[in-house]
Amino acid sequence: MDSDVARYGTFPQDVEKDNKQEDMAEIEFEWEKLAAPWSLFLGGMIIIGKNAAALLLLYCTLLRGHVSKQNLMVCNPTKLTTFQTLGCEYTKAFLRAFPLLAMCVTLCIAMRLIVQQRAYYGFLKVGGLLDFKNVEGWRDPLLFALLVSVLHSVAHFALKLTDGHGDLLVEAQQVITKFIAPYVVFLVFLYDSNDVEKLLVPLNKYVEEDPDRARRV
């Protein structure tokens, strides 16, 4: 057997590669702080906090207590047709459940981002580069579920505006200020939070700490 062989089935270049990986694993870089548990937890809480604030605004202006009786359609079967009554009750259920569904989706997205970042920095530490596939937001099952709920909520107010009761212009203004505006704010926050790549360490920050290692990766 050749004396240069370190052990059976292992060649010198393999040993050298293993040693380099061990040395890289022992070095601690500044960007590794981004992968620390508390750092990832804080980032997730920021995402949850800003989306929860938008949902709280929606709840307080539209669905809280006696306010909901003024803003939502009254499903009175004595004043509405059978179709309007069924449609009113059906769409109102989606509207009332939207904040809870949206909060669950927000938590799922925050947990997914934490796992993705942890995996990315774990690979980066040992010299690997993880590329996340860019998927359109509307293809995300979580965002799609929210979109279905939003469309049903819009249908509820469409029924309310066409039920023949109340001032159309006043009700339309209330729908825009108390429904559409908070919904748009929340969806913008949520869609913006769904992009994991913008949360990762920039290339220039990674390269400036160890240019030689960056070229090897």
Side-chain angles (χ1 to χ4, degrees):
M1 181 179 295
D2 192 342
S3 59
D4 292 334
V5 178
R7 60 183 183 272
Y8 179 76
T10 303
F11 295 94
Q13 60 268 27
D14 296 327
V15 176
E16 183 180 355
K17 183 178 180 181
D18 292 340
N19 293 335
K20 287 182 179 180
Q21 289 181 344
E22 291 177 0
D23 294 339
M24 291 167 62
E26 294 176 356
I27 301 174
E28 185 174 353
F29 296 96
E30 187 69 23
W31 54 262
E32 287 187 67
K33 296 179 180 179
L34 298 174
W38 280 109
S39 178
L40 295 176
F41 176 76
L42 180 61
M45 291 303 297
I46 291 175
I47 293 173
I48 294 172
K50 67 179 183 179
N51 289 317
L55 289 175
L56 183 62
L57 175 64
L58 173 65
Y59 176 78
C60 292
T61 58
L62 188 67
L63 301 173
R64 179 176 58 88
H66 67 280
V67 175
S68 64
K69 296 181 180 179
Q70 300 174 359
N71 296 324
L72 304 186
M73 183 178 179
V74 179
C75 306
N76 189 346
T78 62
K79 296 182 179 180
L80 302 174
T81 65
T82 302
F83 174 78
Q84 287 177 323
T85 304
L86 293 176
C88 175
E89 296 287 1
Y90 173 73
T91 55
K92 184 184 288 188
F94 280 91
L95 185 58
R96 289 188 179 278
F98 179 82
L100 182 58
L101 173 64
M103 198 65 225
C104 291
V105 171
T106 300
L107 291 173
C108 290
I109 288 179
M111 289 188 293
R112 182 173 66 187
L113 290 176
I114 290 175
V115 173
Q116 288 175 327
Q117 291 179 82
R118 186 68 176 175
Y120 178 84
Y121 289 120
F123 276 102
L124 197 61
K125 176 65 177 178
V126 297
L129 188 60
L130 184 61
D131 182 31
F132 295 101
K133 182 179 180 181
N134 297 321
V135 180
E136 295 294 335
W138 60 272
R139 289 190 173 184
D140 190 329
L142 296 175
L143 296 182
F144 183 78
L146 278 182
L147 180 60
V148 171
S149 183
V150 169
L151 293 177
H152 282 83
S153 302
V154 171
H156 178 81
F157 287 104
L159 285 172
K160 187 175 186 293
L161 293 175
T162 58
D163 63 356
H165 304 286
D167 190 325
L168 180 61
L169 293 179
V170 174
E171 289 185 347
Q173 184 178 7
Q174 291 178 345
V175 170
I176 294 174
T177 57
K178 297 182 178 181
F179 166 68
I180 295 180
Y183 264 54
V184 170
V185 171
F186 168 74
L187 292 176
V188 168
F189 281 169
L190 188 67
Y191 189 86
D192 184 63
S193 302
N194 202 38
D195 185 8
V196 63
E197 291 186 338
K198 75 170 190 174
L199 302 175
L200 304 176
V201 58
L203 180 61
N204 60 326
K205 289 291 184 182
Y206 174 72
V207 172
E208 71 181 8
E209 288 195 61
D210 192 343
D212 293 334
R213 180 188 178 191
R215 283 193 292 268
R216 290 197 302 269
V217 173

